[in-house]
Amino acid sequence: MLQRIQTIWLLLAAVFSFMGFKFSFYSGTFPETGSPETYKNITGISSILLIIVTTAVGVLALITLFLYKNRPLQLKLSIAGIALQALVLFLYYNETSGFIKGTFSLTAIIQALVPFFFLLAAKGIRHDEKIIKESDRLR
């Protein structure tokens, strides 16, 4: 398991996904009803839907990490992780619509790297599958 490069990519995807709970994605001024504007940060705990989907991405990466004996399923779950993380990014972007003005935080890159890590893991899994098929052909 640890000899495979996709283990590192999946572990990084899980860690970066869970880092979304702590680090800000967007910061700006938000209009409050009946009170002056307030400064607000969007993190992974800004809405219940973000909490659920961000947790799902991190847990999916960890589950995929331990399915190293079932490469086809591992590949499918990696692709599902990319789709779920795209949903997370959409939800983050959707949360920014209510702000008067603001800016994306530098730590928003963390969430943008998660699908990249899933993609690198999928590439490593496909490479392993190709090696196995070639070695079976030689037998």
Side-chain angles (χ1 to χ4, degrees):
M1 177 175 92
L2 291 176
Q3 298 89 353
R4 301 167 66 212
I5 189 68
Q6 56 266 32
T7 301
I8 295 170
W9 299 131
L10 290 169
L11 188 62
L12 283 172
V15 168
F16 276 38
S17 177
F18 289 128
M19 285 172 66
F21 290 126
K22 181 71 176 165
F23 295 108
S24 173
F25 184 81
Y26 189 85
S27 303
T29 54
F30 193 78
E32 291 289 329
T33 344
S35 64
E37 301 169 353
T38 58
Y39 190 77
K40 184 178 174 186
N41 292 328
I42 296 178
T43 61
I45 56 175
S46 294
S47 73
I48 190 70
L49 195 56
L50 265 174
I51 293 170
I52 292 169
V53 180
T54 303
T55 303
V57 170
V59 169
L60 181 70
L62 290 175
I63 290 171
T64 306
L65 176 68
F66 292 107
L67 291 174
Y68 56 89
K69 290 185 180 181
N70 192 350
R71 283 177 302 281
L73 179 61
Q74 196 178 32
L75 182 62
K76 289 175 187 173
L77 289 178
S78 294
I79 293 169
I82 294 171
L84 269 178
Q85 185 61 28
L87 177 63
V88 168
L89 291 172
F90 172 76
L91 290 173
Y92 272 124
Y93 184 73
N94 205 19
E95 287 282 322
T96 64
S97 63
F99 283 81
I100 296 172
K101 65 178 181 175
T103 182
F104 287 96
S105 302
L106 184 60
T107 54
I109 295 171
I110 291 172
Q111 291 301 313
L113 286 175
V114 173
F116 179 68
F117 291 142
F118 271 118
L119 185 67
L120 289 174
K123 182 180 173 188
I125 295 165
R126 283 182 46 125
H127 182 262
D128 280 356
E129 193 66 28
K130 183 179 173 186
I131 289 173
I132 296 297
K133 284 182 181 179
E134 287 177 2
S135 67
D136 284 346
R137 185 177 51 112
L138 291 174
R139 288 184 193 172

